[in-house]
Amino acid sequence: MDTSVKTFKIISTLEAISFLVLLCIAMPLKYIWDMPEMVRFVGMAHGILFIAYIIGAYFMKEKLKWSWGTLAIVMLCSVLPLGPFYAERKYL
């Protein structure tokens, strides 16, 4: 497997996990138990991974010769909690 595809898979997995941690752990800590610190750290990590995912998706479009529609689906998957796992399995 090409290293750029492998790197994108890693970024995709980390982005999905960070989103799930943000939604399922950090947000309840903030809004239920009044502990906003976790959102700050997990939110920053997720934001960086989200940007890396979007940039990586564009590079995968060029490398794997995806159509614009496929790129749109992969990018849409980044805003769904389990979406990057789906995109990784279906398009990589």
Side-chain angles (χ1 to χ4, degrees):
M1 180 184 308
D2 188 13
T3 57
S4 60
V5 174
K6 195 174 203 177
T7 301
F8 183 68
K9 282 186 167 193
I10 292 168
I11 290 170
S12 174
T13 301
L14 291 175
E15 195 272 337
I17 291 169
S18 72
F19 193 26
L20 290 172
V21 169
L22 184 64
L23 290 176
C24 298
I25 297 173
M27 297 297 279
L29 283 173
K30 180 178 180 178
Y31 291 109
I32 296 172
W33 291 285
D34 197 29
M35 298 170 61
E37 301 84 25
M38 186 80 157
V39 171
R40 188 175 317 132
F41 298 118
V42 176
M44 175 63 80
H46 172 67
I48 291 168
L49 289 166
F50 175 78
I51 292 168
Y53 180 90
I54 295 298
I55 292 169
Y58 180 76
F59 284 123
M60 288 298 103
K61 178 204 180 300
E62 299 295 320
K63 180 157 196 66
L64 301 177
K65 302 195 183 341
W66 287 344
S67 67
W68 285 103
T70 301
L71 178 63
I73 291 169
V74 170
M75 287 186 173
L76 178 65
C77 285
S78 71
V79 298
L80 302 173
L82 298 173
F85 294 125
Y86 171 78
E88 184 180 326
R89 294 216 185 247
K90 176 117 172 128
Y91 298 108
L92 295 178

